[in-house]
Amino acid sequence: MYKVHCLNNISADGLAVFTDEYELVDDIAHADAVLVRSADMHEMELPANLKVIARAGAGVNNIPLQKCADAGIAVFNTPGANANAVKELVLAGMLLAARDIVGGIAWVQENAADENVGKAAEKAKKAFAGGEIFGKTLGVIGLGAIGAKVVAAAEALGMKVVGYDPFVDAERAAAISADMMFVTDLADLYPACDYVTIHVPALKDTVGMVNAEAIAQMKDGVVFLNFSRDTLVDDAAMAAALEAGKVARYVTDFANPAVVAMPRAIVMPHLGASTKEAEDNCAKMAARSVMDYLERGVTVHKVN
């Protein structure tokens, strides 16, 4: 009997994947396997009998990968399981930035007590006018599971797309989209795009990559969307660009004291993968990874 401990609330649909050979336990000290979402494991004492950790999500920065490797503990993630949820929020972010929907809704709420709010709205709405995304150009940095879905969705909405990924060649890029302009240098992407969205992991080479130098190459009035990792963007550089009007909107899924104070930033509370479907998909994939590894030694999606 394999024992499984959940460090976070894990979808019941995902836990249902486990067969009768698996038992959920409340004490990690007795666990052969751990399922985790966002809990920080870096300072945790890992039990000697722990064999595998599965992250119900793509990012694994909350798991001490080297420490686990040294202890012989396999770590898995679930790439692509939440890609559709993030893709849909990227589309929502573009639309929120294109049209001042947030400002318009706030105005209606502020004037809710006005019995003539409908008539007043006809006069007020010009303050919230915006543009359309149809015909605009979107730059997609990172053409993995999420980025590829964003490309297809944006093109379906009538946008032009410029794609960049240092780990993708021209043949693979053409398979993602025959219509996408694929570039091998961000200097060719930034000046061409009305919107830019980033979908890369937080690594030594990517942290802070959206800095003052990168922003200077972008179009005046660009909208930048970050549903990947907060550390990819230099907050000070982005704040300065928003203040100067170089960047029209910064849409981010990562709240911190710096971004919430930025003018014209649209800040969400990390909603990217927060859908029932995404949580179910991630949990099912994590459970299957645990079972495949413990029973057959399968290491697909092993990250350490």
Side-chain angles (χ1 to χ4, degrees):
M1 179 73 72
Y2 296 111
K3 300 183 185 302
V4 180
H5 177 72
C6 299
L7 282 175
N8 297 104
N9 289 327
I10 301 295
S11 158
D13 285 359
L15 297 179
V17 169
F18 287 117
T19 65
D20 293 340
E21 296 179 14
Y22 293 80
E23 175 189 3
L24 297 179
V25 295
D26 293 330
D27 189 349
I28 191 174
H30 303 306
D32 298 292
V34 163
L35 295 184
V36 61
R37 290 174 63 196
S38 59
D40 189 345
M41 299 186 67
H42 284 277
E43 302 303 321
M44 290 182 60
E45 183 176 345
L46 302 176
N49 54 300
L50 185 61
K51 303 171 183 67
V52 56
I53 297 169
R55 159 83 162 97
V60 289
N61 56 316
N62 58 319
I63 302 171
L65 298 182
Q66 189 58 54
K67 178 181 176 181
C68 290
D70 293 342
I73 302 167
V75 179
F76 294 82
N77 69 345
T78 58
N82 60 14
N84 189 70
V86 179
K87 174 209 75 178
E88 291 188 2
L89 200 61
V90 171
L91 297 181
M94 281 197 291
L95 293 168
L96 288 171
R99 313 278 293 272
D100 190 8
I101 299 167
V102 174
I105 291 172
W107 181 91
V108 171
Q109 292 175 333
E110 291 165 3
N111 291 272
D114 184 354
E115 61 181 18
N116 296 311
V117 64
K119 185 179 292 186
E122 290 302 317
K123 296 180 180 179
K125 68 181 183 181
K126 61 179 177 293
F128 310 110
E132 300 177 14
I133 63 174
F134 181 86
K136 302 301 191 300
T137 300
L138 170 67
V140 180
I141 303 173
L143 298 170
I146 296 170
K149 285 184 178 293
V150 170
V151 170
E155 289 181 340
L157 291 171
M159 300 186 80
K160 302 169 187 175
V161 178
V162 180
Y164 167 84
D165 192 317
F167 301 104
V168 170
D169 59 21
E171 183 179 356
R172 170 60 183 148
I176 292 171
S177 169
D179 296 321
M180 175 181 68
M181 178 188 294
F182 178 63
V183 299
T184 57
D185 192 330
L186 283 172
D188 296 322
L189 181 147
Y190 287 139
C193 300
D194 306 293
Y195 296 80
V196 177
T197 182
I198 189 166
H199 302 285
V200 303
L203 304 172
K204 181 180 178 181
D205 293 335
T206 61
V207 168
M209 65 180 285
V210 184
N211 53 22
E213 181 182 357
I215 294 170
Q217 298 176 61
M218 299 179 194
K219 271 188 177 183
D220 291 345
V222 68
V223 170
F224 194 91
L225 303 106
N226 180 12
F227 289 87
S228 190
R229 293 288 181 272
D230 58 341
T231 54
L232 302 176
V233 175
D234 181 322
D235 285 341
M238 183 59 69
L242 286 164
E243 189 70 43
K246 175 68 177 182
V247 176
R249 289 281 194 179
Y250 176 41
V251 186
T252 178
D253 205 21
F254 307 100
N256 66 39
V259 297
V260 298
M262 292 181 190
R264 297 188 311 285
I266 299 174
V267 187
M268 302 178 194
H270 204 189
L271 299 177
S274 295
T275 67
K276 182 182 186 306
E277 294 87 348
E279 291 180 4
D280 289 348
N281 290 340
C282 288
K284 290 176 183 177
M285 189 171 174
R288 291 189 185 106
S289 291
V290 165
M291 295 171 66
D292 286 343
Y293 180 72
L294 291 178
E295 296 174 26
R296 293 177 289 280
V298 177
T299 57
V300 177
H301 303 312
K302 183 172 176 287
V303 296
N304 72 333

